[in-house]
Amino acid sequence: KSKVNKSVQNVKWIDSYRTCFPRMLSLTGERTMQSAILPPKTSHTFGIFSIQFDDQLKNILLCGMSNSLIVDFFVKSTGRTNINEKVVVNIPMYLDQKINDKIILRTLLLSCLTNHYEDLWNSNWNPKYNSDNWSINDDRISTIQNLKEKWTIDFPLKNFFERRLALL
């Protein structure tokens, strides 16, 4: 169970990366939980619920875990139709470090699509992520073993097949 730090020290929420969710949940849809990482200087309306942490890795893990099928089922089984802090603090975020590393890498690859996320990539990259690999070999997917600390436009997953594989 994760604890949300309500007092992020010396950082305005508008200057931080935040994990966001649509406030309304679709219990009958294919996916109930959907999240994204908002870049700094981005605002939203009441239709979105967002959360920030002191540690950016927690934002990345929350985004990755909340997009998983397991958490999607967990939230769907609660019967809630709106997301709020009570739902988010019960999302499991801390697994085995090896699994967390895979979640972090895939979330970065799915989220860091533009230069607005360059700082998120650069400040959270770890060389150990290069030891990761896809679960299948297919010509439609790019390698994830030659990534670097400094973000480039070549890193993000752009085609449907790669993005779907990373979500799985």
Side-chain angles (χ1 to χ4, degrees), residues 34-162:
Q34 298 178 43
S35 65
I37 297 176
L38 289 176
K41 306 294 184 207
T42 305
S43 187
H44 58 77
T45 63
F46 187 73
I48 301 292
F49 174 82
S50 68
I51 192 165
Q52 80 183 78
F53 294 92
D54 287 329
D55 181 1
Q56 287 181 359
L57 280 177
K58 290 179 183 177
N59 272 326
I60 297 167
L61 276 172
L62 176 62
C63 184
M65 288 300 297
S66 62
N67 281 316
S68 73
L69 293 174
I70 294 166
V71 171
D72 190 73
F73 174 76
F74 167 74
V75 172
K76 193 178 291 257
S77 69
T78 66
R80 293 183 179 269
T81 56
N82 288 292
I83 196 162
N84 57 29
E85 188 176 323
K86 290 178 184 177
V87 174
V88 174
V89 297
N90 287 305
I91 294 174
M93 284 181 34
Y94 302 103
L95 305 173
D96 177 81
Q97 189 59 47
K98 188 174 180 182
I99 294 171
N100 280 354
D101 289 344
K102 290 178 180 293
I103 293 168
I104 292 166
L105 173 60
R106 283 154 178 77
T107 305
L108 286 172
L109 287 167
L110 288 164
S111 300
C112 299
L113 295 172
T114 68
N115 62 352
H116 296 94
Y117 296 91
E118 185 174 358
D119 290 338
L120 184 68
W121 178 281
N122 295 346
S123 60
N124 292 287
W125 174 253
N126 192 318
K128 66 183 170 184
Y129 299 154
N130 275 333
S131 64
D132 200 352
N133 206 347
W134 294 112
S135 57
I136 63 170
N137 291 323
D138 193 298
D139 293 335
R140 294 175 286 181
I141 55 177
S142 57
T143 182
I144 55 175
Q145 293 182 322
N146 298 320
L147 302 171
K148 303 276 188 271
E149 180 178 349
K150 184 159 173 49
W151 180 88
T152 71
I153 193 66
D154 299 324
F155 293 164
L157 303 176
K158 296 177 190 98
N159 76 51
F160 173 79
F161 190 76
E162 287 177 327

